[in-house]
Structures are given as structure tokens and as C-alpha cells.
Amino acid sequence: MKLKQISVFVENKPGSVGYPCKVLADAGINITTLTLADTKDFGILRIISKNWQEAYDVLKARKFAVSVNDVVALEVENTPGGLSRVLEALERQGLNVEYMYASVFGVHNRAVLIFRFDDTDSAVEKLAGCPDLKIVDSELFFSLK
Amino acid sequence: MMKNYNPVSAQDYLPRELLKQIQLQRLQKIVAHEYEHVPVYRERMDERGVKPEHIKTLKDIALLPFMMKKDLRDTYPFGLFAMEMSDVVRLHASSGTTGKPIVVGYSKEDIDVWVSCMMRALVAAGVGPGDIIQNSYGYGLFTGGLGAHYGIENLGATVVPTSGGNTERQVMLMRDFGVTGITCTPTYFIHLCEKALQMGLDVRDFPIRVGLFGAEPWTEEMRKRIEGLSGVEAFDIYGLSEMSGPGVGIECECHSGLHIFEDHFYPEIIDPDTCEVLPDGEEGELVFTTISKYAMPMIRYRTRDITHIIDEPCACGRTIRRIARISRRSDDMFIVRGVNVFPSQVESALLAVEGSLPHYRILLTRRPDGLDNMTVEVEISGGFDKIKTLEELQAKFSHSVERILGIHAVIKMVPPNTIPRSEGKARRVFDNRMNPTNQ
């Protein structure tokens, strides 16, 4: 039900995002989706890849400040109000969203959003019992095109 | 008591009274020698009305004029030599980053004394025959390489003269030779451990158990990092070319200050402003007199290092006195917005924060309005996916620095391997305040 996300700490300067991407490319690792969070001084490149373990190892070996954590992918209706219905459902469950971003690929004409919760395990538990929300598991997620 | 005892260290355990007699005899002899052979210093003594025969007790050393680094530059290259070149068997020189280099010369006997001190330093760190010591101090004009080399060799340990640089090869040799100890700067050793990790190797799995680290000031926080990273016991070794080179002092297994080989280097602590001699225990500038070095004696040489003398007996049994670890050098000090800052204070502040890596540098710039900015770059390890966590870490660094220095610094966290590594002495401070094009 959860997806593994790789986070790479980068400086906010030219080339700093390109380099880790190049390292993954050279290792033949495909990035399924990604997002870049940035501040004035630094950024965090968050990557979701089917080969996350390999991605982590190859980045670690190149001395990147890299970490792995769990995120959850949720289906969101591709119509006005789709996202706000999901967010309201999360709020009813008392789930706090640390950050979220959209996946490059959708499923069944619906969008897929990646969510980072405080406590992913308890979030997944609550989401599973919530009929308004549909989790995209990793098998389905990595089959999306 | 007397763990690691080796006869080469006999002088470390002399009764204090006997040691003082030896010091006085040697001091009287060296002052007479200096007066006779070095006109520059004789003139200064004459100006003060001091003659060698006025040195009747050790305390009378206070009658003598000081020497400073400037004197070495002003008399470049051989103006302070007290022997004919035919009696001088070796010359060393500093890198001379600021103006002329300083040159030091040694007679055959001076070299012997230097080697004996280096041997005593190695013994204090638990090194002996059977040990294989990788000497990664630079070989050449710098005293570190050859100084450590001959000490290791004469002690009967095996020296691997790698010098600095070619770090991957150093890692390989360290593993393949079963190296048990290393001599280098603390910065370079960390670089070496990290290089090993990049090669898929862990120095903690190697047989190496001891390191003698010197040639730059380092902190207790850095010791913890080194020991955690490598599993070696880290000893602080002190020396300076003006005295001889490495092996003026070293920590024993108690790691509570550095024993000074004071039968050859007579230490004093002075108030750097009034030049008054301070009692043991009070902090001030360290001053040394080389009481056994004849080719180029240094009388009351002001080291610019700030410390105090510890005169309580040490649990190791050595009777030679200790100095507190030197973490502050007047030469390294810089002033930001009226506050005196030592790089070691910044080091302590940064390494006290979990998540920091032992690589940092300090950048000083001047804003157009004339105010100085201090930016501290520090490498951080991984483990973050939230901006919030990173901002919290940044705030921790900021508070830690501000608490220790009392001034605000801009903290710039950078990924591992961003700050250039040094193969010798680390350069920590980059002062661009007088250089507006670099801002």
C-alpha cells in the first residue's frame, strides 16, 4: 500500500539537480515521478522509482545526502472538486499532510497524488477503512503509463 | 603507572628537581652559545644589559628578550643560525604563504634530539617495534614528514612513507600492509576514512588502532568524530618547525593535556599584551626556549598558541608537565563585528549538532554598508525528506554557533563532499573582506 520515496539533499545552484539524475541515468534506473522542493539555500529532490533500493545504493555510494521514506499514492478524480473531496476526507480522518505532489501518470482517467503523512503506517490503516479514498498500490503504480 | 614504558622515554620520568637542574644547565649553555654566535640577538641582550652569566636560576629566563616569527623573516635565510653551515646537516622551511618563508637549520646533534623526542611521542601513544606506521605527513621542506619518519624508524617500528596525496592508494596500502598506526593531520585522516567508504571499505575493519594527529588545531568534538569513523585512538601531537618539528609534546593514554618534552623545550606562559610571565594554570601565550638545539636556538619564542600549563602530576606517571590542548592560535583568530573568533570555536559549535559532518569552512565578506558577514558552510549527512526538518537543523546550527560565539552567522548546509578536502593542513577561513571583487 505504501511507496518508497528517495530524497536527495541538493544545493540551490545550477547543476545540483542534474547530477543525481545523471547518476541514476547512468545506472539505468528509471524515475517514475519526482518533485523538487526548494528554499533560498537548498532543495530536496524527491524521487519515486521502482528500483528504489538500487537508486538509494548508487546515490549513497556517490556520497549524496540521501534517505528513504514511505509515501502513499491516492487516486483523485480529474474533475473540479476532486482534490478537495480527498483533502476533506483526510481531514475527517485527522491525517496531517506534510507535503504532496502529483504523479506524472494517472489511472483510469483519474489523477494520482503522492502524500507524505506524519505517520505513514497509521495513515494507511485509516485510509484503508475509508470508502471515499482509493490507495494506488505499488504494483498498479509502477504499471501506469 | 608507566604503561607502555620504553627506555627511550626515561627522560619523561625524571624527578622534577633533577629535571630543573638539567633545564638550568642547558639554558645557561644555550644562552651563552646564542650570545656568542648570533649578533642580532646579542645586540638585543646588550640593549637590555643582560649577559649570559645573569642566568642563575630558571626564573632569570624572564630577563631575556623574546623572539617572534617576524625575527625569522627579517633575518631570512640564515641570520639566526648559531653554527657554521659546515655543521648544519639539514634545512627545512615553511610554505611561506605570507611573504618570505621561514628557514630552520639543524646540526647532527639537533636532529638526534628531534628524533629522540619524536620517539618519546610515539611511545606515549603506545607505538613500538612491531607496529607499522603510515606516515602521511608531507615529505619535503615541511618538518612533519621527515620528523615523524625518523622517529618511527629509530624506534624500531616500521614506517610506510606514503607522504600526502594519492588517497585511494593510501587506503589500499593501509589495508594490505596491515598498518597499525598513522601520523597525519586530523583533516587528512577523516578524508582518508571517507575515501575508504567510497571504495566500499571501512577503516574500522582494518587493524589500525592508533593515530598521532597534529600540524593543525583540532577539538574534542573532532576527536569523537575521528574515533567513531575509524575506531582508532586519536592522540594530539604538538610541534612547530621553529622548535624542531613534530614531537614537542604529545598526549599520553590519559588524553588530558599534552606532555611537553621540557628537558629540550622550556615552556613559559605569558600575558600576550604585557609579556609578563604567568603562573602555571593561567591561560596565555605559549613561549618556548629550545635548550638543546645549537644550529639555530630559539630563545623565548612566542608561538602565538593560547593555552595553560598543567603542573599537577599525570596519572601516566610522567613527571614532565602538560599543556592544555591548543585549540586557539592567535594567528588563526579573526574579528567579526568586534568579536574575536577562533575557527575551533566554530568547529565545536557545528560538531555538537547531530547530523553534521566534520567538514566546514568559514567565509567572511563585507557588505556595501560596511558590516561584516560570517557565513559558515557545513556538510550534513542524509536522512531528510522534509524541508521543515532541514530548517530545524539549520536553526540548531545557528543557535549553537550563536551560543558559543555570541554573534550571528549565516549557516549554509551543503551536501557531503562539497567542501574541498585538504591533503595537509586544512584551510578553514576564507576572508574576502578586503577583496570586494570576490564578494
Side-chain angles (χ1 to χ4, degrees), chain A residues 5-9 43-46 65-69 99 116, chain B residues 354-356 380-391 393 397 413:
Chain A
Q5 173 187 263
I6 305 287
S7 300
V8 187
F9 171 67
I44 301 175
L45 179 64
R46 305 181 185 120
V66 58
S67 64
V68 184
N69 68 284
Y99 56 82
R116 166 69 154 106
Chain B
E354 204 180 323
S356 62
I380 57 169
S381 54
F384 319 99
D385 73 303
K386 298 185 226 169
I387 292 287
K388 189 170 73 181
T389 322
L390 276 169
E391 284 176 344
L393 182 63
F397 280 124
M413 301 184 296

Side-chain angles (χ1 to χ4, degrees), chain B residues 17-210:
Chain B
E17 280 313 309
L18 178 58
L19 176 61
K20 283 182 187 168
Q21 280 174 30
I22 292 171
Q23 285 175 323
L24 179 60
Q25 283 168 10
R26 288 183 177 169
L27 176 66
Q28 288 169 328
K29 216 174 136 198
I30 204 79
V31 171
H33 175 78
E34 179 79 358
Y35 188 81
E36 189 181 338
H37 294 102
V38 182
V40 180
Y41 198 74
R42 177 170 58 234
E43 281 161 26
R44 278 199 215 164
M45 283 177 62
D46 285 343
E47 276 166 28
R48 290 181 158 223
V50 189
K51 300 283 174 213
E53 52 271 27
H54 293 157
I55 309 297
K56 294 196 168 61
T57 69
L58 282 173
K59 282 205 161 52
D60 294 332
I61 195 171
L63 300 170
L64 297 165
F66 292 101
M67 285 185 176
M68 299 180 79
K69 190 163 260 176
K70 185 178 177 299
D71 299 320
L72 287 151
R73 297 224 165 88
D74 291 349
T75 58
Y76 174 86
F78 305 135
L80 291 180
F81 279 35
M83 284 175 113
E84 296 299 322
M85 198 51 85
S86 54
D87 292 316
V88 173
V89 299
R90 200 195 297 171
L91 300 175
H92 278 287
S94 74
S95 50
T97 43
T98 50
K100 284 177 185 169
I102 61 157
V103 181
V104 290
Y106 308 77
S107 70
K108 179 73 188 65
E109 291 73 24
D110 294 343
I111 294 277
D112 291 344
V113 168
W114 181 14
V115 171
S116 75
C117 290
M118 189 61 215
M119 286 162 65
R120 289 158 69 179
L122 288 156
V123 168
V127 173
D131 273 310
I132 303 172
I133 308 297
Q134 185 159 341
N135 184 23
S136 307
Y137 280 123
Y139 279 62
L141 284 174
F142 172 52
T143 52
L146 290 177
H149 178 99
Y150 287 112
I152 299 162
E153 198 170 275
N154 281 277
L155 184 61
T158 309
V159 62
V160 186
T162 50
S163 190
N166 205 343
T167 309
E168 277 191 26
R169 188 186 168 81
Q170 298 232 11
V171 172
M172 190 188 78
L173 296 179
M174 181 184 277
R175 180 195 57 185
D176 295 350
F177 291 2
V179 163
T180 57
I182 189 164
T183 43
C184 61
T185 60
T187 317
Y188 186 63
F189 185 61
I190 288 177
H191 178 46
L192 217 146
C193 293
E194 288 178 340
K195 182 62 83 176
L197 289 174
Q198 274 173 281
M199 295 162 69
L201 301 168
D202 191 336
V203 171
R204 286 175 296 189
D205 300 331
F206 293 6
I208 185 166
R209 56 160 224 285
V210 59

Side-chain angles (χ1 to χ4, degrees), chain A residues 11 16-17 19 21 23-25 29 41 47-48 50-51 75 86 88 98-99 101 104 109 111 121 123 142:
Chain A
E11 277 185 273
S16 61
V17 173
Y19 182 38
C21 292
V23 167
L24 294 179
I29 295 166
D41 299 321
I47 294 169
I48 296 187
K50 194 174 179 179
N51 308 102
E75 286 185 22
V86 168
E88 280 163 18
E98 290 281 350
Y99 56 82
Y101 55 100
V104 174
N109 291 327
D121 287 325
F142 291 115

